[in-house]
């Protein structure tokens, strides 16, 4: 069957997972190539590709109505790459401010308290994950175990691991974004 993105996206908008798989298989390699070229990091490129397809699935009904479906999908890729670099810049700026404030501070106890606060917030957010997502996230992100190894250990498919990991990362991103403003205010309060 020939590859027709317009027809496939219409099928995807009706929750057709087989059509989504065809779209994924068709675009996975070129998207990875673009993301890797921009980030120079395999893991980040992989995460960006996952984010593109999670976004495409979430916005599948909008994608099906797009006048230029392929352009729509590539725009999602561009936006995910741009969001990665914007997040990186914000993290660097925040780290720079924290380092500068820490260097100006003569009280190491405040620094230790701030680090403990960060760990507590992260642990709290991770504990809110569903059990399977929590296990997969901890194995992948905290212990550095590959998705294939996690799949083997948990006796599930690598795609299931990927889906759980993508959902966990998205959940953490949303929760930590909410917590970020509290952290920034804590930093400002401690060093003003």
């Amino acid at each position: 069957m020939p590859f027709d993105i317009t027809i496939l996206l219409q099928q995807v908008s009706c929750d057709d997972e087989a059509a989504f798989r065809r779209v994924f298989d068709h675009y996975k390699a070129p998207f990875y190539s673009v993301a890797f070229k921009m980030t120079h990091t395999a893991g980040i490129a992989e995460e960006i590709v996952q984010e593109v397809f999670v976004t495409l699935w979430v916005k599948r009904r909008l994608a099906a109505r797009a006048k230029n479906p392929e352009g729509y999908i590539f725009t999602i890729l561009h936006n995910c790459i741009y969001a990665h670099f914007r997040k990186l810049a914000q993290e660097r700026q925040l780290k720079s401010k924290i380092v500068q404030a820490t260097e100006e501070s003569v009280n190491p106890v405040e620094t230790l308290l701030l680090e403990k606060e960060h760990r507590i917030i992260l642990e709290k957010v991770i504990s809110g994950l569903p059990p399977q997502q929590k296990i997969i996230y901890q194995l992948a992100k905290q212990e550095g175990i590959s998705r294939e190894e996690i799949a083997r250990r948990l006796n599930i498919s690598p795609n299931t691991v990927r889906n759980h990991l993508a959902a966990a990362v998205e959940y953490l991103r949303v929760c930590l974004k909410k917590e970020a403003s509290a952290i920034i205010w804590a930093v400002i309060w401690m060093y003003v």
Side-chain angles (χ1 to χ4, degrees):
M1 178 177 213
F3 185 86
D4 184 335
I5 189 63
T6 303
I7 292 172
L8 286 170
L9 287 180
Q10 288 172 354
Q11 293 169 343
V12 170
S13 74
C14 296
D15 302 335
D16 185 335
E17 292 180 19
F20 183 77
R21 183 69 184 173
R22 285 194 65 205
V23 172
F24 176 81
D25 289 340
H26 184 79
Y27 287 105
K28 176 178 74 169
F31 283 4
Y32 177 84
S33 178
V34 170
F36 183 78
K37 191 177 203 179
M38 298 296 292
T39 63
H40 305 287
T41 307
I44 293 172
E46 210 173 273
E47 286 180 13
I48 288 171
V49 171
Q50 287 177 3
E51 188 172 331
V52 168
F53 286 104
V54 167
T55 302
L56 179 59
W57 181 257
V58 169
K59 296 183 176 186
R60 60 190 175 275
R61 287 171 183 77
L62 288 174
R65 293 193 308 255
K67 291 181 180 170
N68 178 359
E70 191 165 71
Y72 184 86
I73 294 172
F74 274 93
T75 299
I76 293 173
L77 173 64
H78 169 78
N79 290 342
C80 289
I81 292 170
Y82 178 75
H84 165 74
F85 284 114
R86 186 175 57 236
K87 178 183 168 197
L88 210 57
Q90 289 171 343
E91 287 173 357
R92 284 182 183 148
Q93 186 178 22
L94 179 60
K95 284 179 185 176
S96 174
K97 287 180 182 179
I98 291 172
V99 167
Q100 181 182 359
T102 303
E103 288 171 353
E104 292 171 2
S105 171
V106 292
N107 191 345
V109 173
E110 289 177 351
T111 304
L112 290 173
L113 288 174
L114 186 59
E115 288 174 6
K116 183 178 179 183
E117 180 72 21
H118 289 158
R119 280 193 305 273
I120 290 170
I121 290 171
L122 182 59
E123 289 171 10
K124 179 181 121 187
V125 173
I126 290 172
S127 72
L129 288 168
Q132 186 81 342
Q133 286 181 14
K134 181 179 177 183
I135 291 167
I136 290 171
Y137 178 84
Q138 289 172 328
L139 290 172
K141 298 298 184 178
Q142 294 176 333
E143 295 182 28
I145 299 172
S146 72
R147 288 189 308 204
E148 291 76 19
E149 176 62 20
I150 295 169
R152 191 185 63 70
R153 284 188 187 184
L154 299 179
N155 198 26
I156 57 178
S157 77
N159 286 337
T160 301
V161 172
R162 181 197 54 183
N163 293 341
H164 279 299
L165 190 55
V169 168
E170 182 60 26
Y171 172 81
L172 293 173
R173 184 175 302 147
V174 169
C175 290
L176 290 174
K177 188 182 274 187
K178 292 176 186 174
E179 296 287 345
S181 60
I183 292 169
I184 292 169
W185 282 111
V187 170
I188 291 170
W189 181 257
M190 288 178 74
Y191 295 107
V192 171

